[in-house]
């Protein structure tokens, strides 16, 4: 009788498997948090790379480093992204010294690293830089170059 009472008293105190249940409850939240951090880091890295490319393209345009194709190829080489960047050079108000120009670098579409968040990430990234020409521009009135 005594062992039966002892078994009945200890019946609710068996905790085998409790850690597994707790882990199963917390795992989706933990996975979402980790993937969110990774995806945000990838987005920030791409944004910084496009910004660097826009500054490099603007520097090349300001000093008249050549044709649109030459400046675009050099800009693509300076970025770490794979492919698909579109670089647009536009003169504003003339091609002489002191005139303004605009350089736009666009990555479309943004390639998600994990694809976990689907449509929550932005579809494209774009950076625009306005400059003053330091040399007369010989690159016509502008143009577009797409990184291979």
């Amino acid at each position: 009788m005594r062992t039966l009472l002892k078994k009945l008293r200890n019946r609710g105190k068996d905790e085998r498997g409790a850690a597994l249940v707790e882990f199963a409850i917390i795992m989706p939240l933990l996975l979402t948090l980790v993937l969110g951090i990774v995806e945000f880091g990838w987005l920030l890295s791409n944004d910084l790379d496009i910004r660097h490319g826009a500054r490099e393209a603007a520097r090349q345009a300001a000093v008249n480093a050549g044709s649109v194709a030459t400046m675009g190829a050099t800009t693509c080489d300076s970025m770490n992204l794979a492919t698909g960047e579109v670089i647009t050079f536009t003169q504003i108000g003339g091609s002489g010294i002191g005139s303004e120009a605009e350089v736009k670098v666009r990555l479309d579409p943004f390639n998600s690293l994990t694809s976990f968040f689907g449509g929550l990430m932005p579809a494209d990234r774009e950076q625009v830089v306005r400059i003053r020409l330091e040399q007369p521009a010989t690159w016509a009135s502008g143009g577009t170059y797409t990184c291979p």
Side-chain angles (χ1 to χ4, degrees):
M1 182 73 168
R2 192 171 214 195
T3 57
L4 181 62
L5 288 174
K6 194 173 189 182
K7 281 183 181 180
L8 288 174
R9 218 177 288 139
N10 291 333
R11 186 172 158 193
K13 296 183 182 178
D14 189 14
E15 293 190 18
R16 288 182 295 174
L20 182 63
V21 171
E22 291 169 358
F23 182 72
I25 291 171
I26 199 72
M27 186 59 190
L29 179 63
L30 184 63
L31 184 64
T32 302
L33 182 65
V34 168
L35 289 178
I37 290 170
V38 168
E39 195 69 34
F40 180 74
W42 180 248
L43 176 71
L44 185 62
S45 174
N46 281 331
D47 196 48
L48 290 174
D49 201 33
I50 292 169
R51 185 174 297 170
H52 170 71
R55 283 193 311 256
E56 177 65 22
R59 185 192 67 78
Q60 298 236 352
V63 299
N64 191 31
S67 67
V68 170
T70 304
M71 293 186 298
T74 305
T75 302
C76 290
D77 289 342
S78 72
M79 293 189 289
N80 295 327
L81 297 174
T83 58
E85 301 86 10
V86 177
I87 305 163
T88 306
F89 298 90
T90 308
Q91 293 178 6
I92 301 170
S95 62
I97 296 174
S99 298
E100 285 190 357
E102 182 178 270
V103 177
K104 184 186 304 183
V105 177
R106 180 180 179 89
L107 175 64
D108 186 22
F110 168 72
N111 295 322
S112 175
L113 186 63
T114 62
S115 300
F116 187 74
F117 294 102
L120 297 178
M121 300 307 277
D124 61 350
R125 304 299 307 149
E126 179 178 278
Q127 290 291 326
V128 178
V129 177
R130 283 191 128 183
I131 54 163
R132 187 176 69 87
L133 298 176
E134 301 296 327
Q135 298 291 325
T138 58
W139 38 275
S141 62
T144 302
Y145 182 84
T146 304
C147 295

